[in-house]
Amino acid sequence: MITAPFEKLAEEVRSFLHNESCGHDFYHAERVFNNAMYIQEGEGGDRFVIGAAALVHDICRPWEKKTGKSHFGEEALEIIKEVLQRSDIDGLSIGRILAVVEKHDIYDWSETSEKSIELQVVQDADNLDAIGAIGVARTFAFGGANGLPMY
């Protein structure tokens, strides 16, 4: 359940994803948020940055499908920044949230990889939503929404 101080941002995310059917809809954002909040309780990190990043991490998926540009690339990050600003989030937090979103889909387990605790929590929360029955259902939804054959 999304609570203060995330309600205004959640409404922005909901409006971005209201017609999304590829498995990256608002319900995905909400599940990732809930997973991230649970993980953060045990692992630490900035709770607000984690929660906000979890909510917005995929809001540019519909835009990505339309434009062919990355949902976490430079242009997408500008769109996400505007959403965060409309949600009255301060500039310092916006920078930290965007740093998580920018790397949320990059998996580098090398010794030289520098990952903030906030990024690790959001990645783990996102990956948890990709497994089990929900993950299987999301896989079919994504394939169907993107015209991929089931083989």
Side-chain angles (χ1 to χ4, degrees):
M1 182 171 169
I2 297 174
T3 59
F6 300 102
E7 290 138 335
K8 189 170 185 178
L9 180 57
E11 285 309 309
E12 285 279 345
V13 172
R14 187 186 308 277
S15 71
F16 254 78
L17 299 175
H18 74 281
N19 286 329
E20 187 55 38
S21 62
C22 78
H24 294 99
D25 56 8
F26 178 76
Y27 299 111
H28 167 65
E30 185 176 42
R31 288 189 303 270
V32 172
F33 172 84
N34 288 331
N35 287 339
M37 295 293 91
Y38 180 79
I39 294 168
Q40 185 278 333
E41 288 176 9
E43 299 299 324
D46 185 312
R47 189 167 180 83
F48 184 76
V49 169
I50 289 168
L55 283 171
V56 301
H57 78 283
D58 277 338
I59 66 170
C60 284
R61 287 282 188 168
W63 177 82
E64 178 181 60
K65 186 175 178 183
K66 183 178 176 183
T67 66
K69 298 176 183 178
S70 170
H71 73 280
F72 59 95
E74 193 174 311
E75 290 175 86
L77 292 173
E78 281 300 315
I79 294 168
I80 296 167
K81 181 179 180 179
E82 291 171 12
V83 169
L84 295 168
Q85 288 170 334
R86 282 196 306 269
S87 300
D88 301 324
I89 296 173
D90 68 89
L92 180 61
S93 294
I94 288 174
R96 295 184 69 212
I97 293 162
L98 292 176
V100 172
V101 174
E102 180 180 26
K103 294 186 169 87
H104 83 276
D105 252 3
I106 299 171
Y107 295 93
D108 178 4
W109 290 279
S110 69
E111 293 289 322
T112 60
S113 177
E114 293 284 327
K115 288 187 173 186
S116 68
I117 186 67
E118 292 82 8
L119 173 60
Q120 293 175 64
V121 168
V122 172
Q123 283 184 324
D124 286 354
D126 195 21
N127 285 331
L128 285 171
D129 201 53
I131 62 174
I134 291 288
V136 171
R138 287 184 58 227
T139 299
F140 286 121
F142 183 86
N146 289 285
L148 301 172
M150 193 167 78
Y151 178 77

